[in-house]
Amino acid sequence: WVMGDQGVQLVDIESLEERLSGDVAPDLVEEYYRFGGLLLSEVQTAASQIDGRLVTALGLAVGLLVSLLFGTTLERFAVARIWVNLAAAFALLGMALAVYGSMARMWRLPSEKDWFKENLQDANLLKKYHIISLLAAHQQHVKLADLKGNCLRWAQACIVIGALLVAVALYIATFS
């Protein structure tokens, strides 16, 4: 969802760490550092937007479920009862997916131990270490954002299917 059709494709941290342990131009290290901070900020923004949409999907699913369970008289819709029940099931599934996607999770962030890495007195080596720390945080954020995005996609699909089933139930109840 977040990553498109390619899926989540991550860089191997150990190979990058090995590459950075060698002689790397300081301006390249600076660019890796700058871009790493930018990517981490971007994925945090994307995850925050997905969270907002998950809450909206949750509200829609709960509204659909409540209206189906408490707003319809099943005696009146006796012929369409199966469609109403299916719609309620999809609304419930959409609600569950939205709740699961929006659940609080521990996000990996660079820590003070990363910031003040012991045994690294050279500024260039410390910056290289910070790049690895940013990359590890970014990768974990991408995985969580991808999970949240997939939950959102499926929750929205369930809500749409539920709404279509409600339309079928109303059509059947009206013309039977």
Side-chain angles (χ1 to χ4, degrees):
W1 169 257
V2 173
M3 300 294 104
D5 294 334
Q6 306 89 17
V8 177
Q9 298 177 353
L10 303 174
V11 172
D12 180 38
I13 292 178
E14 290 178 5
S15 68
L16 181 63
E17 200 169 8
E18 187 177 311
R19 225 178 328 155
L20 286 175
S21 67
D23 190 27
V24 180
D27 57 337
L28 184 60
V29 171
E30 182 62 36
E31 181 58 22
Y32 279 147
Y33 183 76
R34 185 195 66 76
F35 195 68
L38 175 72
L39 284 179
L40 189 59
S41 174
E42 287 294 319
V43 76
Q44 287 173 333
T45 300
S48 176
Q49 290 173 349
I50 291 169
D51 275 337
R53 291 180 182 149
L54 280 165
V55 170
T56 300
L58 177 61
L60 288 170
V62 168
L64 181 59
L65 190 60
V66 167
S67 69
L68 287 171
L69 296 179
F70 301 109
T72 60
T73 346
L74 289 181
E75 295 82 33
R76 185 171 175 205
F77 293 108
V79 178
R81 185 174 297 151
I82 187 142
W83 297 101
V84 171
N85 289 339
L86 278 172
F90 274 99
L92 184 63
L93 183 58
M95 184 181 77
L97 286 165
V99 166
Y100 181 72
S102 62
M103 286 173 58
R105 291 179 172 78
M106 293 303 297
W107 294 85
R108 186 188 191 290
L109 296 171
S111 68
E112 288 187 0
K113 287 185 177 185
D114 292 331
W115 188 14
F116 297 106
K117 177 71 174 164
E118 292 182 29
N119 304 330
L120 287 180
Q121 302 301 319
D122 179 71
N124 199 36
L125 289 176
L126 186 60
K127 191 169 269 188
K128 289 177 183 179
Y129 179 78
H130 288 168
I131 291 168
I132 299 301
S133 179
L134 283 172
L135 178 61
H138 176 263
Q139 287 185 354
Q140 191 259 355
H141 287 229
V142 165
K143 289 175 186 174
L144 286 176
D146 190 56
L147 170 75
K148 288 173 171 288
N150 284 324
C151 287
L152 176 61
R153 177 179 60 181
W154 289 107
Q156 289 174 333
C158 287
I159 292 166
V160 168
I161 291 169
L164 289 174
L165 290 169
V166 167
V168 169
L170 289 173
Y171 180 82
I172 291 171
T174 304
F175 296 108
S176 55

Short mmCIF file of all heavy atoms in Angstrom, two decimals, residues 1-2 4 7 12 24 62 77 84 92 98:
data_model
loop_
_atom_site.label_atom_id
_atom_site.label_comp_id
_atom_site.label_asym_id
_atom_site.label_seq_id
_atom_site.Cartn_x
_atom_site.Cartn_y
_atom_site.Cartn_z
N TRP A 1 0.83 -1.19 0.00
CA TRP A 1 0.00 0.00 0.00
C TRP A 1 0.87 1.25 0.00
O TRP A 1 0.82 2.05 -0.90
CB TRP A 1 -0.92 -0.04 1.22
CG TRP A 1 -1.63 1.22 1.49
CD1 TRP A 1 -1.33 2.11 2.45
CD2 TRP A 1 -2.74 1.73 0.81
NE1 TRP A 1 -2.21 3.15 2.41
CE2 TRP A 1 -3.08 2.95 1.40
CE3 TRP A 1 -3.49 1.31 -0.27
CZ2 TRP A 1 -4.14 3.72 0.97
CZ3 TRP A 1 -4.54 2.09 -0.68
CH2 TRP A 1 -4.85 3.27 -0.07
N VAL A 2 1.67 1.41 1.01
CA VAL A 2 2.54 2.58 1.10
C VAL A 2 3.64 2.52 0.05
O VAL A 2 3.98 3.50 -0.56
CB VAL A 2 3.17 2.68 2.51
CG1 VAL A 2 4.19 3.78 2.58
CG2 VAL A 2 2.09 2.92 3.54
N GLY A 4 3.61 0.83 -2.78
CA GLY A 4 3.16 0.57 -4.14
C GLY A 4 3.28 -0.90 -4.48
O GLY A 4 3.26 -1.76 -3.61
N GLY A 7 6.36 -3.45 -3.14
CA GLY A 7 6.48 -3.98 -1.78
C GLY A 7 7.56 -3.23 -1.02
O GLY A 7 8.17 -2.29 -1.52
N ASP A 12 20.25 -3.59 3.04
CA ASP A 12 20.88 -4.43 4.05
C ASP A 12 21.77 -3.55 4.93
O ASP A 12 22.75 -2.96 4.45
CB ASP A 12 21.70 -5.54 3.38
CG ASP A 12 22.38 -6.44 4.39
OD1 ASP A 12 21.76 -6.75 5.43
OD2 ASP A 12 23.53 -6.84 4.13
N VAL A 24 35.25 6.79 3.10
CA VAL A 24 34.13 7.40 2.39
C VAL A 24 34.30 8.92 2.45
O VAL A 24 34.63 9.46 3.50
CB VAL A 24 32.78 6.99 3.01
CG1 VAL A 24 31.62 7.61 2.26
CG2 VAL A 24 32.64 5.49 3.05
N VAL A 62 -17.99 1.78 12.32
CA VAL A 62 -18.84 1.75 13.52
C VAL A 62 -20.21 2.35 13.20
O VAL A 62 -21.25 1.81 13.60
CB VAL A 62 -18.16 2.50 14.69
CG1 VAL A 62 -19.13 2.74 15.83
CG2 VAL A 62 -16.95 1.72 15.18
N PHE A 77 -37.41 -5.89 6.92
CA PHE A 77 -36.44 -6.32 5.92
C PHE A 77 -36.24 -7.84 5.96
O PHE A 77 -35.15 -8.33 5.72
CB PHE A 77 -35.07 -5.65 6.17
CG PHE A 77 -35.07 -4.18 5.96
CD1 PHE A 77 -35.00 -3.30 7.03
CD2 PHE A 77 -35.14 -3.65 4.67
CE1 PHE A 77 -34.99 -1.93 6.82
CE2 PHE A 77 -35.13 -2.28 4.47
CZ PHE A 77 -35.07 -1.41 5.54
N VAL A 84 -28.42 -7.76 5.00
CA VAL A 84 -28.15 -6.88 6.14
C VAL A 84 -27.11 -7.52 7.05
O VAL A 84 -26.17 -6.86 7.51
CB VAL A 84 -29.45 -6.57 6.92
CG1 VAL A 84 -29.16 -5.85 8.23
CG2 VAL A 84 -30.39 -5.75 6.06
N LEU A 92 -18.16 -4.99 10.56
CA LEU A 92 -17.41 -5.44 11.73
C LEU A 92 -15.97 -5.77 11.36
O LEU A 92 -15.04 -5.40 12.09
CB LEU A 92 -18.10 -6.67 12.35
CG LEU A 92 -17.49 -7.22 13.63
CD1 LEU A 92 -17.59 -6.17 14.74
CD2 LEU A 92 -18.20 -8.49 14.05
N ALA A 98 -9.45 -1.54 11.06
CA ALA A 98 -9.10 -0.16 11.40
C ALA A 98 -8.54 -0.07 12.81
O ALA A 98 -7.56 0.64 13.06
CB ALA A 98 -10.32 0.75 11.26
#
